[in-house]
Amino acid sequence: MVKAVKNLKDIENKYVIIFDNSFDNLQAVMELKLLKHYADEKDNVVIVDIVCFEYILLEFRDLITWIYAPDDEFLVKRSDSIAAREKLVNSITSGEWSYKDIQEIMEYDKNIEEHNIEQLATKLLFDLTRNTGFEVSKSTIGDCWVKSCCEWKNRMENDICGLDDGRLLLFDKMKKLYEGTSLKEQLAGVGLEVSR
């Protein structure tokens, strides 16, 4: 990516780069620094700065109410994951890290010393969404993210979620996801907006 931007000759088109900013991964930080340097030299290259794909879903303000029905037993069984998500998202969003929040996140993930923020976000998102139609792992994204509500083949009668009473079309899901995450701000910051 760095080479491509450095050697870019085209000035007619606008290039938007969405690059993971795993701020605690030294290699990613160095690559992003170089990428920004070369992008700043071009009038038609902009960089959208996100933590990572998994974090976008993790920070989605309606995540918990979408994946779990109000009386879902997972709300109790996954209360530690829900609390760790809240601490992590609040800390990153506000930029304020308290010792207590860091300690609680570390208690959630005993291997945190071996993980960077992308790996932690991925693990946390998987722990929250596993065994639901919204399941996200490094290799899959659940049908409930990419289809209109209740259009997935393997849906069982007892598979319910927070959207069961207010089913959404795929377009409406994507619009709410855009509006309920930092994507809206980030894309607007580089001159892009989702219309309609």
Side-chain angles (χ1 to χ4, degrees), residues 139-164:
S139 60
T140 60
I141 184 160
D143 282 346
C144 291
W145 290 113
V146 295
K147 294 182 180 174
S148 296
C149 284
C150 300
E151 288 186 0
W152 47 300
K153 288 185 220 173
N154 300 330
R155 184 175 192 265
M156 304 298 232
E157 195 169 307
N158 65 347
D159 285 337
I160 59 169
C161 70
L163 295 176
D164 218 38

Side-chain angles (χ1 to χ4, degrees), residues 9-103:
K9 303 290 185 229
D10 176 16
I11 57 171
E12 300 296 319
N13 296 299
K14 183 172 186 173
Y15 294 88
V16 178
I17 300 170
I18 300 179
F19 192 87
D20 287 359
N21 180 13
S22 294
F23 49 81
D24 58 347
N25 179 333
L26 186 58
Q27 183 177 357
V29 169
M30 297 306 293
E31 290 290 320
L32 184 58
K33 186 176 178 179
L34 272 173
L35 187 60
K36 283 182 178 180
H37 170 76
Y38 293 118
D40 288 346
E41 294 177 348
K42 314 282 183 188
D43 292 332
N44 60 334
V45 178
V46 292
I47 299 175
V48 176
D49 188 17
I50 65 167
V51 174
C52 63
F53 165 76
E54 292 83 3
Y55 182 77
I56 292 292
L57 296 179
L58 195 63
E59 76 170 339
F60 177 49
R61 69 173 168 243
D62 295 329
L63 178 68
I64 302 303
T65 59
W66 275 25
I67 59 177
Y68 304 131
D71 57 346
D72 197 321
E73 64 187 27
F74 283 149
L75 286 168
V76 174
K77 289 181 176 179
R78 298 181 178 170
S79 61
D80 289 347
S81 299
I82 293 168
R85 171 200 174 257
E86 186 176 320
K87 298 283 184 204
L88 182 65
V89 169
N90 288 341
S91 295
I92 290 175
T93 302
S94 70
E96 297 175 15
W97 294 84
S98 74
Y99 176 76
K100 183 180 179 202
D101 290 346
I102 293 170
Q103 196 62 35

